[in-house]
Structure formats: structure tokens, C-alpha cells
Amino acid sequence: MKHIKSIFLTVMLLTATAVSAQYSQERPNVEYMFKIEMGYLHNVGNYGTPKVEASNPDIKGTGYNLNAWEEGMGLNVINGINISQDFFLGGGLGYNFCAPMRPVKLDKNSHMVNAFVDMDFRPVGETWAPMLGLRLGGSFLMNANNYGNTISPYFEFYGGLNWFYDHALQQMFRNYHSLFAEVGVVLVQQSIFIPIRVGWRW
């Protein structure tokens, strides 16, 4: 009887260990994640004092303003990690093509490359979930006018909505796969944009 109790306790302990290990596999504290997103950047205005002529050292200014009505279309690619299911931390690269759109003048364009740290929070486990995020980094503007190439800080605050489309994982904790839409505010190159994007994360 004593041996039977020992065997029973051993089996119970091994079963509990296996269940615990399986649970920890389904809920890792850290896991790799990839995001890709694209969309439209609406220019709502400029701030600061632009340099009127970069070749004249006597003219003071704080940088470059994008031209009035110069809208943008862009793509961001972001790699990072999920922390405790709901928090994301990663690094991203973005490209934006900016040109006047009212009226359309594609020959007067700028190409803006951004590098940034991306942080966001979204609850995991529901079919639909909100998202809040923040991006900090730098921007390099390639333009053909007399300003030359300019570098500026990049700041973005955004919010959005995720749809967890992978129904096979809907009852699991690791349901990270989602399509999302987001809108926010971007401060870059002394210009203020409202980005409207859609994306995919997995």
C-alpha cells in the first residue's frame, strides 16, 4: 500500500509538471513578433522656423518645413518582441513618399526615411482589442531643393483596433495574429501629420 501511494504521488507530480510546462509554452513571457503596415499621412500644418536658404549662414532657423499640401504615402516594417502577451517593443524602418496632392504635383516630391523604436499595448485573448502605441526616432529627408538633405527627430502617438483573425488559436493565449487599423499624430521635419494606416502582425 505504501508503494502504491508513492507511485500515485509520483504520477501526480509528473502530471502536474507536464501540465505546468505545457501552460508555460502556451504563455511565454517573451516571443518574437513582426509587423508590416502602410497608409496615408495627411499634412495638417508646420511648426518652427524653417531655413529660408540653407546656403546662407546668416539666416537662422530650426530645420525644414515640408511644403503646404505635401501629403505622404508610406510603408513601415517593424521587428520586435511581445512581453507578457500584451506589450510589444521593437525597432522599425519606414519610407514615405511626400508630394503636393491639392493639386497633384508628383514632380515636386520628397522622400522621407524613418528609423524608430516602437512600443505598443494591446490586450490579447479577445476577437477585437484596442491598441495604444508610441514611436520615437529620427527622420532623414531626401529632397532636391536648396535645403539639401535634413535630419530631424521623429515622434508618433497612435491608437488603433486589432482583429484577431486566426480562429484556430482563438481559445489559446498565443493568439497574436491580427489585422489592424490605426490613426495618430506624427511630428517630423517640422511638419504635423495625421497617419491613417492598416497593417498585419504575426
Side-chain angles (χ1 to χ4, degrees):
M1 187 68 176
K2 185 176 181 180
H3 294 296
I4 294 175
K5 287 184 178 179
S6 299
I7 293 173
F8 180 74
L9 290 174
T10 302
V11 170
M12 290 289 291
L13 181 61
L14 291 174
T15 302
T17 303
V19 171
S20 176
Q22 179 67 22
Y23 181 78
S24 64
Q25 289 176 6
E26 291 180 358
R27 298 197 64 182
N29 288 327
V30 176
E31 185 167 75
Y32 170 77
M33 175 170 282
F34 177 81
K35 298 196 294 185
I36 185 168
E37 58 187 33
M38 62 183 301
Y40 164 71
L41 282 79
H42 174 63
N43 191 342
V44 297
N46 295 327
Y47 62 91
T49 304
K51 296 178 181 178
V52 178
E53 186 178 349
S55 61
N56 188 344
D58 296 327
I59 297 177
K60 304 298 182 182
T62 56
Y64 175 71
N65 284 142
L66 291 175
N67 296 327
W69 311 113
E70 195 165 348
E71 314 290 351
M73 295 293 293
L75 173 72
N76 291 333
V77 177
I78 305 162
N79 285 275
I81 56 173
N82 250 19
I83 304 171
S84 297
Q85 305 293 309
D86 299 333
F87 296 93
F88 173 78
L89 175 64
L93 292 174
Y95 166 77
N96 295 283
F97 175 84
C98 301
M101 295 295 174
R102 290 170 276 174
V104 176
K105 295 181 179 179
L106 297 181
D107 58 324
K108 300 182 181 297
N109 58 70
S110 298
H111 304 269
M112 187 163 51
V113 178
N114 307 318
F116 51 84
V117 174
D118 184 20
M119 300 165 280
D120 75 45
F121 167 78
R122 58 160 192 164
V124 173
E126 301 292 335
T127 302
W128 297 91
M131 173 176 62
L132 289 175
L134 178 68
R135 291 172 180 155
L136 300 171
S139 170
F140 179 67
L141 184 70
M142 299 171 283
N143 47 359
N145 60 26
N146 61 346
Y147 289 96
N149 297 321
T150 59
I151 297 176
S152 85
Y154 178 91
F155 171 83
E156 178 177 352
F157 177 77
Y158 62 93
L161 185 65
N162 282 266
W163 171 48
F164 299 109
Y165 63 88
D166 198 338
H167 296 287
L169 297 178
Q170 202 60 254
Q171 303 303 318
M172 297 174 61
F173 289 102
R174 291 177 62 187
N175 182 16
Y176 295 151
H177 308 144
S178 68
L179 300 174
F180 62 87
E182 63 186 30
V183 63
V185 176
V186 171
L187 304 180
V188 61
Q189 298 293 344
Q190 294 191 196
S191 297
I192 304 171
F193 289 95
I194 295 178
I196 303 172
R197 304 190 187 100
V198 293
W200 182 25
R201 62 194 295 167
W202 71 94

